[in-house]
Amino acid sequence: MTVVRPCTARAIRDTSVKFQDFQCGCLASRQMQRLQSTKSRRDARRSSSIGVSAASYAEVKESGDVTKKPSLEQPTQAVGKEPFAWLKNWYPVSNVADLTTAEPSAHTLLNIKLVVWRDSSGSWAAAEDRCPHRLAPLSEGRIQDGNLACNYHGWQFDRQGACLLNPQSGQSASDPACRSKGAKARAFPTQVVQGMLWVWPESGPHAWLDSAMQSPAVIPELEDPTWPGSKGDVFATTMMCNWDIAMENTMDPSHANWLHDGFAGKWEDAAVMTMRLAENQTDPKQGFLVTHDGYSKKQQAAGLKVSRKFTPPCTTRHEYQYKDGSEMLAALYFVPSSPGRTRVFGKFLFRKPGKRNSMLSLAEGIFSRIPAGFKHNLFSGRMTDQDALMLHGQDYTVRKDAKRWRSYFIPSSADMGVVTFRRWLDEKAGGDVGWAGGASSSDLPPQLTTEQLRSSWERHTKDCSACKQAIATITKVKTGLTVAAGGLLLVALFTTAQYRSAISDTTLIELGCGAALLVAREALARWQLGYYVSTGPVYNFRKKPTQ
């Protein structure tokens, strides 16, 4: 009788016969076969649910065969590289022009609530928006001699977070209670670059050293005078969706002719776009580059070539080049504020060859004289509404789906940018934004209504000093127009009553001028409404012309 020996780790280690040994290896062999079969079925389901081919990005890049579809299989591993460190990077949190020197202001970065103020040296400082005493919000405090004072009990802190005053104990910076680690506010390194305040969202002595050794990932053209538009304002807005959804959107130009029909393109002008992966670095900090041709027939006829470069953690550079030498650059910073909220800072620059570039520079000089608040209201409207409604709804649907974004069906190369970004996030950055406090992108706030999503006050105006100044100016002008119109009406009535005569030509002129002033006031009121909420239809539901 054959005795079957137990399949122990020692037995496997001591014998050269592994899975072929029937006596001790048959069980292990059957288990291995079941595991391999299960893995094959799982991979097949995964590929099927995603709806993409098995061609890897490396194959597409090497062969140049752009007919191969984007893939989520065969990931490129960041060999020898640590995952992307979200806290060890610089992020813009505000335009300096929108910060007030009179009082501290509240901001959010990576789900960290921040308080920002300017100290006595004229430098901007940032700390966590909580007083170590009783965790009250420091953003509700005041600035005392350049130091941050809590409005609840008067504790004061310097830019390094050191406690300078504890009024309840009558103690100052040199006293033991103030020097205690528990009395220290959590402070963060800051710097001003390209007119924006950047924050390094890590605290402690090592953070100040690490941040000094690394520069923000900026787009240098924003300060290049050869690019008309570089002197303009950096526009800032809040997108009511998660950072990953906003990043997908900026890597997906083919939606422009459809979602923004009649504004940034037309349905009938849409063309099949070919997108290629040009660079995909193994270093998580290097990001990737995709290129594509025009996404409309008009663009393709003009020989448009586009490159889209993502540099972590938040920098995207989209350069449009036409065969006549014209160029357009979209310089955008996408900043993860909190789950469901993304801050975007950006500029659009234009450049043309020869004398036409001089004409652009001249136009920029004229355009720059228009107050920023009026320009913001002019260009922030229907298109931002369209993105807001579409991305907000997509975000909540993605988070409710058990497979999240892997339920996407993406069979065309037009989605190469989206897939490449998702692979970077999954393989090199932990699969999600490195939110503080153990949060995840699924921790969404309550879903907003259409009316709430169209609130330009929440998206932009409340954080823009130029727009708030424009509102104040318009209010004063409206008041002046009302007073003037009322005065003309009173004069007309007085003249008619005094002379007890029929309405004269002079009276008619007075009444006409008064009416014109009231019409102008109403037009200003409608313009002012745009700072608070968008009006009119969101989409252009025009009938598509027949081909």
Side-chain angles (χ1 to χ4, degrees):
M1 178 181 296
T2 303
V3 179
V4 179
R5 295 172 292 169
C7 185
T8 64
R10 181 176 179 180
I12 295 175
R13 186 170 59 250
D14 292 345
T15 181
S16 60
V17 181
K18 297 182 180 178
F19 295 109
Q20 287 77 22
D21 187 340
F22 173 79
Q23 290 183 326
C24 78
C26 60
L27 178 60
S29 179
R30 287 195 299 270
Q31 289 175 337
M32 181 62 71
Q33 291 173 357
R34 284 198 298 270
L35 286 173
Q36 291 174 340
S37 176
T38 300
K39 182 178 183 300
S40 298
R41 289 195 301 270
R42 184 175 66 247
D43 289 346
R45 286 196 302 270
R46 182 185 181 199
S47 179
S48 175
S49 67
I50 295 170
V52 296
S53 72
S56 70
Y57 282 115
E59 291 172 345
V60 174
K61 180 181 177 182
E62 289 179 7
S63 67
D65 183 2
V66 297
T67 62
K68 291 185 178 180
K69 301 176 180 63
S71 168
L72 301 176
E73 307 302 325
Q74 304 179 13
T76 303
Q77 299 295 334
V79 180
K81 298 291 183 180
E82 295 181 358
F84 183 74
W86 290 91
L87 296 180
K88 293 182 178 293
N89 282 278
W90 289 103
Y91 301 82
V93 297
S94 176
N95 284 319
V96 171
D98 294 330
L99 298 173
T100 174
T101 60
E103 58 187 10
S105 57
H107 304 268
T108 306
L109 173 62
L110 290 175
N111 208 39
I112 303 171
K113 294 188 179 299
L114 303 174
V115 56
V116 170
W117 77 100
R118 195 168 74 168
D119 65 13
S120 56
S121 69
S123 300
W124 293 98
E128 189 174 15
D129 193 12
R130 51 182 260 169
C131 179
H133 175 215
R134 296 264 295 279
L135 309 188
L138 290 171
S139 58
E140 295 295 329
R142 64 187 73 181
I143 302 173
Q144 300 273 105
D145 300 323
N147 299 313
L148 181 62
C150 180
N151 240 8
Y152 199 10
H153 296 93
W155 287 40
Q156 290 187 27
F157 307 91
D158 65 11
R159 65 174 296 108
Q160 300 283 342
C163 180
L164 303 177
L165 179 65
N166 176 355
Q168 284 69 49
S169 302
Q171 295 183 334
S172 59
S174 59
D175 295 307
C178 284
R179 288 189 286 108
S180 170
K181 183 179 179 181
K184 188 177 178 67
R186 188 181 173 206
F188 305 101
T190 64
Q191 64 173 302
V192 174
V193 180
Q194 295 184 340
M196 294 173 282
L197 177 66
W198 296 67
V199 175
W200 182 276
E202 187 181 41
S203 60
H206 60 284
W208 298 86
L209 178 60
D210 291 347
S211 63
M213 298 174 63
Q214 183 172 320
S215 298
V218 299
I219 300 171
E221 287 85 354
L222 287 182
E223 299 174 298
D224 185 350
T226 65
W227 280 88
S230 60
K231 298 178 182 178
D233 308 300
V234 173
F235 184 81
T237 188
T238 298
M239 299 181 72
M240 305 301 182
C241 64
N242 265 299
W243 178 80
D244 58 346
I245 299 296
M247 283 297 303
E248 282 187 6
N249 179 259
T250 197
M251 288 294 166
D252 167 33
S254 64
H255 76 272
N257 289 294
W258 305 97
L259 180 60
H260 305 310
D261 176 46
F263 301 97
K266 295 182 179 180
W267 286 17
E268 62 270 21
D269 193 37
V272 175
M273 182 191 73
T274 301
M275 185 176 283
R276 302 172 176 84
L277 179 67
E279 295 178 8
N280 192 16
Q281 305 293 339
T282 57
D283 186 349
K285 292 183 178 181
Q286 297 303 313
F288 59 86
L289 172 70
V290 293
T291 61
H292 62 85
D293 53 2
Y295 42 88
S296 72
K297 299 170 186 175
K298 184 177 179 180
Q299 290 174 339
Q300 291 184 356
L304 175 64
K305 300 297 180 184
V306 184
S307 64
R308 296 179 182 271
K309 172 69 175 176
F310 167 57
T311 304
C314 58
T315 304
T316 62
R317 180 186 184 278
H318 307 322
E319 185 171 6
Y320 292 64
Q321 296 181 324
Y322 293 87
K323 62 183 179 182
D324 69 352
S326 301
E327 298 174 273
M328 192 274 279
L329 182 67
L332 303 168
Y333 300 103
F334 290 82
V335 182
S337 296
S338 60
R341 299 293 182 269
T342 303
R343 285 288 283 169
V344 184
F345 302 87
K347 270 187 190 179
F348 292 89
L349 313 180
F350 302 88
R351 186 162 63 180
K352 291 183 177 294
K355 295 181 178 180
R356 289 189 296 168
N357 202 53
S358 300
M359 295 297 293
L360 273 179
S361 298
L362 178 61
E364 179 195 17
I366 298 173
F367 193 66
S368 64
R369 296 181 181 274
I370 302 175
F374 289 90
K375 289 185 288 188
H376 292 177
N377 197 16
L378 181 64
F379 293 108
S380 62
R382 199 75 58 84
M383 283 181 57
T384 51
D385 285 350
Q386 293 164 353
D387 280 329
L389 268 64
M390 194 63 65
L391 301 185
H392 187 75
Q394 178 195 2
D395 198 4
Y396 282 79
T397 302
V398 167
R399 307 306 159 187
K400 292 176 183 177
D401 193 293
K403 297 178 181 178
R404 300 292 192 270
W405 69 277
R406 290 188 177 277
S407 287
Y408 294 177
F409 182 76
I410 40 181
S412 71
S413 70
D415 290 311
M416 181 74 76
V418 173
V419 175
T420 306
F421 163 71
R422 283 296 182 177
R423 293 186 62 181
W424 175 86
L425 186 61
D426 276 7
E427 299 167 16
K428 302 174 183 178
D432 195 6
V433 174
W435 304 112
S440 76
S441 293
S442 296
D443 299 327
L444 292 169
Q447 191 164 1
L448 302 178
T449 64
T450 298
E451 291 72 21
Q452 290 172 324
L453 287 170
R454 299 190 71 187
S455 171
S456 44
W457 174 265
E458 289 296 326
R459 289 199 312 244
H460 171 75
T461 308
K462 69 183 179 67
D463 299 311
C464 178
S465 59
C467 287
K468 287 187 284 189
Q469 180 59 49
I471 291 174
T473 300
I474 292 173
T475 300
K476 291 178 181 179
V477 174
K478 283 167 51 185
T479 301
L481 291 174
T482 303
V483 172
L488 286 171
L489 178 60
L490 289 174
V491 169
L493 292 174
F494 177 77
T495 302
T496 303
Q498 184 178 17
Y499 295 102
R500 298 180 181 180
S501 61
I503 298 177
S504 64
D505 291 342
T506 302
T507 303
L508 288 174
I509 292 174
E510 291 168 348
L511 290 174
C513 290
L517 291 177
L518 291 177
V519 170
R521 183 195 182 282
E522 179 62 23
L524 278 177
R526 289 179 176 272
W527 174 265
Q528 190 179 37
L529 182 63
Y531 290 103
Y532 296 98
V533 63
S534 297
T535 57
V538 178
Y539 304 108
N540 184 5
F541 287 118
R542 64 187 178 87
K543 184 177 180 180
K544 183 179 178 182
T546 57
Q547 299 292 336

